[in-house]
Amino acid sequence: MPLDEPLVRAHDLQVGYAEYPVCPPVSLTVTPGQAVAVIGANGTGKSTFLRTALGLQPAIDGTAELLGARPDPRTGETRAAVASVLGDDAFFPALTVREHLLLTALGHRVPDAREVVADLIEEFGLTDRADALPDALSSGQRRRLLLAAAFARPRSLLVLDEPEQRLDAGMRNRLADRLVDERDQGGAVLLASHDPLLVERAATNVVLLADDGVHHLDPAAGAAAIAAL
């Protein structure tokens, strides 16, 4: 698809369960070079919106496009272009941290996969746990492994659901730097977040889901809105 075409497009997208919406209809686009943050209080539908935009659950109404087509996570194009961390800890129980990341990188034919993995292990603070199995990791370490795996593969779109969860302040700062690099290099990011500093530093656009509707904000206003929730 053309380089300036939206990777995600939602128009009056109503999301929820059965016929029951969890937030007002959402309209937004995510184009290469943008990082769009979806914010709001707990229960306002942020995670549901992300899942619907990725085709992981059906919409109630409105339209959604992913990579210029109806969202379908089963297609090869989607699997090749979209990396996501949606909060579920999904690991192979018999693979170590290093093996998980190598499997991801090699499966996506990343050049110099072992060097890429070694750098990610260091960056995400997993050096001392590189040979540990998932069951031996703390919840924060498992979160860092999931994020590292998303960065271990090629992608055009990165989708993150509250990636700051279970991360300390230093790791949140490194994640913000990573997301800035992602969009500066022409990647696209769609994330839900409760972290005002992450949103202000990394986002280019902010969408606030609120009881009185959907509001489009700049990053500073978005950070202030999170602090006021």
Side-chain angles (χ1 to χ4, degrees):
M1 58 189 301
L3 293 177
D4 58 349
E5 282 294 304
L7 293 148
V8 179
R9 191 198 310 264
H11 179 69
D12 290 339
L13 185 63
Q14 186 81 75
V15 305
Y17 302 90
E19 71 274 24
Y20 301 105
V22 294
C23 64
V26 180
S27 295
L28 60 76
T29 60
V30 185
T31 58
Q34 284 188 321
V36 178
V38 180
I39 66 171
N42 287 330
T44 53
K46 300 183 300 298
S47 298
T48 306
F49 173 78
L50 294 187
R51 292 182 58 82
T52 305
L54 291 178
L56 296 172
Q57 68 182 67
I60 295 175
D61 200 1
T63 60
E65 292 182 5
L66 179 65
L67 309 178
R70 182 176 179 177
D72 186 349
R74 298 167 297 180
T75 67
E77 183 181 11
T78 299
R79 291 178 180 180
V82 181
S84 62
V85 178
L86 299 180
D88 299 327
D89 287 1
F91 302 108
F92 292 101
L95 295 185
T96 66
V97 166
R98 192 191 321 276
E99 289 166 342
H100 268 93
L101 296 177
L102 276 173
L103 179 63
T104 300
L106 292 171
H108 287 275
R109 300 181 180 179
V110 173
D112 302 318
R114 293 185 183 278
E115 290 80 0
V116 169
V117 165
D119 289 343
L120 286 168
I121 286 173
E122 181 177 359
E123 179 180 351
F124 282 86
L126 294 167
T127 301
D128 292 341
R129 309 300 289 154
D131 296 315
L133 296 175
D135 284 348
L137 302 178
S138 69
S139 62
Q141 289 165 345
R142 289 195 297 271
R143 184 57 147 182
R144 282 181 267 153
L145 174 55
L146 287 172
L147 290 168
F151 288 106
R153 47 156 295 178
R155 61 210 169 267
S156 299
L157 173 66
L158 181 62
V159 182
L160 304 174
D161 189 6
E162 298 184 22
E164 71 275 3
Q165 285 189 349
R166 311 196 301 267
L167 301 183
D168 59 29
M171 190 66 247
R172 291 185 185 199
N173 284 331
R174 291 195 291 278
L175 176 61
D177 290 340
R178 262 282 185 174
L179 296 182
V180 171
D181 288 343
E182 189 82 7
R183 59 178 173 79
D184 285 351
Q185 294 173 15
V189 181
L190 176 63
L191 73 151
S193 180
H194 283 290
D195 188 322
L197 295 179
L198 181 64
V199 167
E200 186 165 14
R201 285 187 57 196
T204 57
N205 307 75
V206 178
V207 178
L208 170 64
L209 307 184
D211 291 339
D212 62 348
V214 175
H215 305 274
H216 293 263
L217 309 173
D218 63 42
I226 293 173
L229 292 176

